Amino acid sequence: MGLTAVARGHKPRRHRLASLYDRWTFLTIALALLVAGPLVALPASFVTAPGALADFSALLPGAAQATVVLLLGVGAGTLVLGTGLAALIAFCEFPGRRWLEWGLVLPLAMPGYVFTLFALGLSDRLGWSWLDVRSTAGATAVFTLVLYPYVYLLARSAFLAQGGDLLEAARGLGLSRGRAIVKVAIPLARPAIVGGVALALMESLADFGTVNLLGLQTFTNAIYKVWYGAFDRDAALQLGTLLVSVTLTLLLLERLMRGRARYAGGGSPARAPEPVRLRGVAAVAAVAGPLALIGLVVLAPLAQLSVWSAQAIGNGTLAPEFATAARNSLLLAGMSIALVLGAAVLLAYGRRSGRPSRVSREAVGLATIGYGLPGSVVAVAVIVPLGWIDHRLDDVAGVGLLLTGTVIALFAAYVVRFLALAFQSVDSGLARVPRSLDEAARGLGSDRIDVLARVHVPLISTALLTGALLVFTEVMKELPATLLLRPLGGDTLAIAVWRATSESLYETAAMPALLIVLVGLLPVALLIRLSRRVPQR
Amino acid sequence: MLGSSLGLIVLADAFVGVVLATSGGGDGLTIYTARSHYGDERPFDTFAADTGDDLTLFGGSAPELFERLSSEGDQTEADLLVTVDAANLWRAEQAGLLMPLRSAAVERNVPADLRDPDGEWFGITTRARTIMRSTERVEEGEASTYADLGDPRWRDRLCLRSGTSEYNVSFVADRIAKDGEAETREMLERWMANDPEILGSDVDVLNAIADGDCDVGFTNSYYLGRELEEDPDFPVAPVWADQDGRGTHVNLSGIGVVAATDDREGARELVEYLTSPEQQRTFAANNHEFPVGDPADTTEEITQFGEFKRDPIDVAGAGAQLETAVQMMSEVGWD
């Protein structure tokens, strides 16, 4: 079965009263508001301390300019690189393609700040004056290289789900294969591609590690200046609000670019398009390009980290806490998958399954903006209400700090911060399941939860795996929220890296950084195994 | 099916919560410390061994530890707060997170100008933030004051750490408190007119000088101590700035007792122990800082450059100027 383009989804049913009591709509909105709720602290700071930001007006023009320039650069970079690579892998055949298909995901496991340190060391050692990493262009390149996998992953699965029939049809109309891809396949994958670019942009908005190392004066950098330098949390939250408005603009643009159409792939596995067989120079380039990319972003930094680790072991500066830190990182990242992905499935399915309403759509949008905020801002937004509840609970029952003293607050922060990642994956997966299937299954007497478990989850397993992978690697790399909210004794690998790099002790930082990357590669390997079992082409 | 898997998730999360929550804590003292990135600091270990107390060190940077302490309030596990600059101690005191400690021993150990008059915090070590010069390309005496870094001769030869660094903000706030806004702004504008290269860390600045990318810089003294420990021929030397004026800018790393501690006695013992001359020396030697009791007594890597006059620390004065400092640095273009 091929691909159906359905304009404007399905028609709203006409039971107005019933819709008010629609459990799924209610559940979706409630969950979305719960996730977005803590972020109220951001705009609220304008009420509690109206003039705070005025003391730092000098920071704003520079921050706005640097942020916009960075977004434009990273947007263009990840769009071209991610889509190009996805098209190459999905539509062409050449030796080594199956390996590169997954190799290209590996940069996901590389924390941006670790790659930045490597790039700085490389440019210092090479001494090429034109290679200035400490510049806007340098930062754009660094972010593009580490973040393109978001676009690549989402675009690739969209291409695969399209199947070959439409491309064949386009060729039947006289288009060359290359033009058919550009004219038909890429526009059809637009929701996934734009979604991936949005994720990459939100991540670069929220980043502090890389921009601080490279001296880029973005909004997030300004937040740290006024909060950590001038101790003005209100002004920091107000800057955070401005950052949220940038994110909202991005999401709005994303929606506009998606357009009104919805695309649904076949319910049965799509028939793979006849691949373009590359030969000669083209085949060599198709292998060498991606290989060079993986070598630069993953293999070379890994080699550097290994050398430093060996030196650290030689000097005896290897700390024994790394084993505990690795266990903590692994546990936190693993559990986060269940929580964040669970919330994303409920939201995406709830919105699809409930009566389509503006309110639920906007609420879900709000619930994903945490990804565009620095982790420390999210952490403070979470700790304030949870701390308040904690103290009230303690007053009543004398139980101590149940929420903020344990991993619960940390998981709450992870959900707020990373929901967008899981949601994008799940939602673009669900979008390809035709609605007729929901209707049919329900017509056969299944309730919605049953339909979700027995129809949708199996159909979107690749999307679920992608979401799980994204959440896992992000939590492994996450620093600021973990630093603030972890329980006593809950140090992670990222914290061990921070500790050493904040004093420029790169050899000491190497081993935990190496472990972050290696452990982050585990889910990638798992994803490869699982998805190979599902015949895709 | 979904219900049961949700149940499983909740159970498993509760399990992790228990695992992580119980692997720290305990009955002993808990210290929120911003010094955790200086590596293993022996005084904490030896105190634990001597007293049999269980010490839990919880690392983080001071602003994060502050948020955590304020949120935890009277339920906090923390008994003590350690920071690497005076401003963060001042801020915790302002927010009512610390309590006064009266101890004759501590007052003997820590000079009056390096502790809070109300006894809410005490310095352990000090560090100087001063000019660094290449020993290969810059003669001794070519720059002797902070203002000298604005001399046109350093055009394209000056390296600075980014204006995001709290150490730089503290320095500027201190200058504003003592010299006034106009004079400080003029000095910074002249620095910026030299088109300094802005780098991410003090270590980067020192390495840039050693590699010949710049000739002078501005960093904390202990970073140079570390470089010289690794390589005695590292071609950079400090210039103890403003010796004919107020003296070289100094900041302190210190400790305060958390107001909500449930072990005042234990906390007092630890502060007495950590500020004892011997333990100050150990702290200082480990990181090439200066003990507060005997400011000249540190490692050979630093003492070889001679003694110097220190600009008296005025924590409250600088604390009040932090916002002005951030705004001013941004206006003059210290990114």
Side-chain angles (χ1 to χ4, degrees):
Chain A
M1 184 177 149
L3 190 137
T4 337
V6 189
R8 197 66 195 141
H10 68 155
K11 292 203 179 85
R13 273 170 260 130
R14 301 218 175 267
H15 316 299
R16 281 213 158 172
L17 257 182
S19 75
L20 279 180
Y21 298 98
D22 186 313
R23 272 188 305 150
W24 277 96
T25 313
F26 180 74
L27 179 82
T28 310
I29 295 174
L31 183 60
L33 291 184
L34 193 64
V35 174
L39 300 180
V40 167
L42 277 65
S45 61
F46 280 104
V47 180
T48 54
L53 198 51
D55 294 337
F56 303 98
S57 51
L59 289 160
L60 290 178
Q65 194 201 351
T67 303
V68 169
V69 171
L70 183 71
L71 288 183
L72 289 175
V74 176
T78 53
L79 176 72
V80 171
L81 193 59
T83 313
L85 289 170
L88 177 74
I89 294 295
F91 299 121
C92 301
E93 186 55 64
F94 50 89
R97 190 197 62 84
R98 269 168 66 88
W99 291 104
L100 287 178
E101 177 168 26
W102 292 106
L104 285 168
V105 184
L106 298 182
L108 264 190
M110 178 62 60
Y113 48 88
V114 173
F115 179 64
T116 309
L117 286 174
F118 166 77
L120 282 173
L122 188 70
S123 75
D124 284 350
R125 217 165 317 138
L126 293 176
W128 295 339
S129 53
W130 56 267
L131 187 77
D132 186 7
V133 188
R134 284 188 191 88
S135 64
T136 309
T140 304
V142 166
F143 278 118
T144 299
L145 290 174
V146 222
L147 298 178
Y148 81 83
Y150 291 143
V151 184
Y152 168 76
L153 264 178
L154 293 177
R156 174 190 151 275
S157 47
F159 287 151
L160 291 179
Q162 284 173 4
D165 292 351
L166 222 75
L167 275 187
E168 305 283 309
R171 295 202 60 211
L173 292 173
L175 290 182
S176 74
R177 208 180 248 135
R179 285 192 65 75
I181 291 170
V182 173
K183 288 261 184 199
V184 177
I186 292 180
L188 277 176
R190 203 172 55 185
I193 293 172
V194 174
V197 172
L199 288 180
L201 293 184
M202 284 164 88
E203 174 75 21
S204 28
L205 272 183
D207 173 89
F208 178 66
T210 297
V211 296
N212 184 44
L213 282 169
L214 300 181
L216 220 61
Q217 305 299 308
T218 60
F219 267 116
T220 295
N221 202 48
I223 287 176
Y224 276 81
K225 272 187 186 169
V226 305
W227 183 5
Y228 285 28
F231 299 151
D232 197 332
R233 196 175 85 178
D234 290 315
L237 290 176
Q238 289 171 12
L239 280 168
T241 317
L242 297 183
L243 200 53
V244 166
S245 62
V246 177
T247 306
L248 287 176
T249 313
L250 279 180
L251 292 177
L252 191 71
L253 279 177
E254 184 204 347
R255 195 184 293 164
L256 288 176
M257 289 177 72
R258 274 184 185 210
R260 303 192 115 193
R262 281 200 173 142
Y263 306 101
S268 55
R271 195 167 62 78
E274 184 65 24
V276 181
R277 289 188 195 285
L278 300 180
R279 289 203 178 73
V281 183
V284 172
V287 177
L291 216 52
L293 180 65
I294 301 167
L296 174 68
V297 187
V298 183
L299 301 180
L302 273 183
Q304 173 75 80
L305 290 176
S306 306
V307 172
W308 277 338
S309 298
Q311 283 164 356
I313 293 170
N315 299 339
T317 51
L318 187 71
E321 306 88 78
F322 291 162
T324 322
R327 182 201 66 174
N328 288 345
S329 288
L330 210 57
L331 279 174
L332 287 174
M335 304 284 24
S336 306
I337 292 182
L339 277 174
V340 183
L341 205 60
V345 168
L346 286 182
L347 280 183
Y349 183 69
R351 189 177 66 169
R352 170 194 177 95
S353 188
R355 183 180 175 277
S357 88
R358 232 196 139 70
V359 181
S360 68
R361 203 176 63 184
E362 304 303 341
V364 168
L366 270 185
T368 61
I369 58 179
Y371 194 51
L373 280 171
S376 47
V377 172
V378 169
V380 164
V382 164
I383 201 177
V384 170
L386 287 189
W388 187 85
I389 298 173
D390 249 355
H391 284 284
R392 299 296 84 75
L393 275 179
D394 183 61
D395 292 345
V396 176
V399 287
L401 301 179
L402 270 185
L403 307 174
T404 52
T406 63
V407 278
I408 293 176
L410 191 50
F411 282 132
Y414 288 158
V415 172
V416 175
R417 175 108 173 76
F418 297 131
L419 183 65
L421 284 175
F423 183 80
Q424 282 286 1
S425 315
V426 173
D427 195 45
S428 61
L430 273 183
R432 290 193 296 267
V433 178
R435 282 172 185 278
S436 51
L437 224 64
D438 302 40
E439 313 281 331
R442 295 196 51 213
L444 292 173
S446 299
D447 69 8
R448 282 174 181 152
I449 202 96
D450 217 33
V451 177
L452 173 63
R454 292 179 33 196
V455 178
H456 291 93
V457 168
L459 277 178
I460 61 167
S461 57
T462 314
L464 288 175
L465 283 171
T466 309
L469 168 69
L470 295 180
V471 171
F472 184 93
T473 50
E474 276 300 322
V475 173
M476 287 293 298
K477 295 184 281 189
E478 209 286 332
L479 177 64
T482 317
L483 199 56
L484 209 158
L485 296 175
R486 73 197 193 277
L488 295 183
D491 282 10
T492 64
L493 289 172
I495 287 173
V497 173
W498 161 79
R499 207 168 264 162
T501 50
S502 63
E503 292 295 300
S504 306
L505 303 172
Y506 302 130
E507 287 176 14
T508 316
M511 182 56 103
L514 192 63
L515 286 174
I516 291 182
V517 181
L518 292 179
V519 174
L521 293 177
L522 287 179
V524 180
L526 190 71
L527 189 64
I528 299 172
R529 270 188 70 91
L530 289 175
S531 73
R532 287 224 167 124
R533 234 179 266 161
V534 187
Q536 277 186 332
R537 28 190 321 168
Chain B
M1 173 191 154
L2 196 73
S4 61
S5 53
L6 273 178
L8 269 181
I9 292 167
V10 171
L11 265 181
D13 278 347
F15 168 71
V16 182
V18 172
V19 169
L20 293 181
T22 51
S23 49
D27 287 338
L29 292 168
T30 298
I31 302 148
Y32 282 7
T33 171
R35 282 187 75 93
S36 66
H37 44 272
Y38 295 154
D40 224 5
E41 301 207 286
R42 287 191 41 78
F44 293 112
D45 298 338
T46 49
F47 178 81
D50 288 357
T51 60
D53 268 6
D54 198 13
L55 283 195
T56 304
L57 293 177
F58 183 83
S61 58
E64 279 139 6
L65 298 174
F66 175 90
E67 295 299 340
R68 196 172 161 111
L69 265 182
S70 351
S71 160
E72 291 173 337
D74 56 357
Q75 288 294 315
T76 186
E77 295 264 346
D79 302 295
L80 297 127
L81 174 70
V82 174
T83 77
V84 290
D85 63 343
N88 276 293
L89 286 171
W90 174 80
R91 183 190 188 199
E93 181 187 2
Q94 295 285 303
L97 295 176
L98 302 179
M99 65 186 280
L101 171 69
R102 291 271 163 247
S103 157
V106 177
E107 279 155 31
R108 232 181 4 256
N109 292 338
V110 183
D113 58 330
L114 299 177
R115 57 178 150 88
D116 175 43
D118 302 326
E120 299 210 5
W121 51 260
F122 305 88
I124 299 172
T125 64
T126 63
R127 54 275 296 286
R129 189 157 189 83
T130 196
I131 300 167
M132 295 287 163
R133 67 175 175 96
S134 157
T135 52
E136 292 162 345
R137 295 176 304 280
V138 179
E139 293 298 320
E140 220 173 326
E142 269 193 82
S144 63
T145 68
Y146 293 113
D148 280 351
L149 291 180
D151 189 295
R153 81 163 80 183
W154 304 119
R155 190 170 169 80
D156 296 326
R157 298 169 69 190
L158 170 64
C159 274
L160 293 175
R161 180 174 180 171
S162 112
T164 313
S165 155
E166 290 102 301
Y167 294 140
N168 285 338
V169 176
S170 272
F171 168 79
V172 173
D174 187 59
R175 303 297 291 193
I176 295 174
K178 289 167 179 163
D179 297 335
E181 274 192 50
E183 192 179 328
T184 308
R185 179 185 298 270
E186 195 204 325
M187 181 185 87
L188 295 187
E189 277 170 350
R190 294 183 66 230
W191 284 19
M192 292 307 127
N194 279 335
D195 202 9
E197 183 165 359
I198 305 289
L199 300 170
S201 71
D202 278 13
V203 174
D204 283 352
V205 171
L206 291 173
N207 284 327
I209 299 174
D211 295 345
D213 295 334
C214 353
D215 296 336
V216 285
F218 175 59
T219 75
N220 279 359
S221 50
Y222 55 84
Y223 289 106
L224 179 64
R226 288 190 207 157
E227 296 293 341
L228 288 168
E229 186 183 338
E230 282 223 337
D231 171 15
D233 300 323
F234 192 75
V236 178
V239 177
W240 302 125
D242 286 15
Q243 291 303 293
D244 296 331
R246 276 197 314 269
T248 301
H249 174 75
V250 169
N251 204 330
L252 62 82
S253 169
I255 189 165
V257 179
V258 171
T261 179
D262 51 10
D263 187 2
R264 292 173 73 147
E265 202 40 38
R268 186 181 57 77
E269 271 176 42
L270 183 61
V271 176
E272 285 176 355
Y273 182 82
L274 295 182
T275 57
S276 69
E278 193 191 336
Q279 299 311 325
Q280 284 182 40
R281 253 201 310 282
T282 315
F283 270 116
N286 179 46
N287 194 37
H288 306 282
E289 293 168 70
F290 307 100
V292 291
D294 184 359
D297 186 14
T298 185
T299 53
E300 165 65 21
E301 281 85 5
I302 297 296
T303 54
Q304 61 172 314
F305 299 109
E307 293 194 26
F308 61 97
K309 183 166 92 181
R310 286 140 214 274
D311 187 3
I313 297 181
D314 172 15
V315 180
Q321 299 300 332
L322 290 168
E323 295 203 349
T324 315
V326 169
Q327 174 89 343
M328 181 185 291
M329 290 164 83
S330 164
E331 278 164 3
V332 301
W334 188 348
D335 283 343

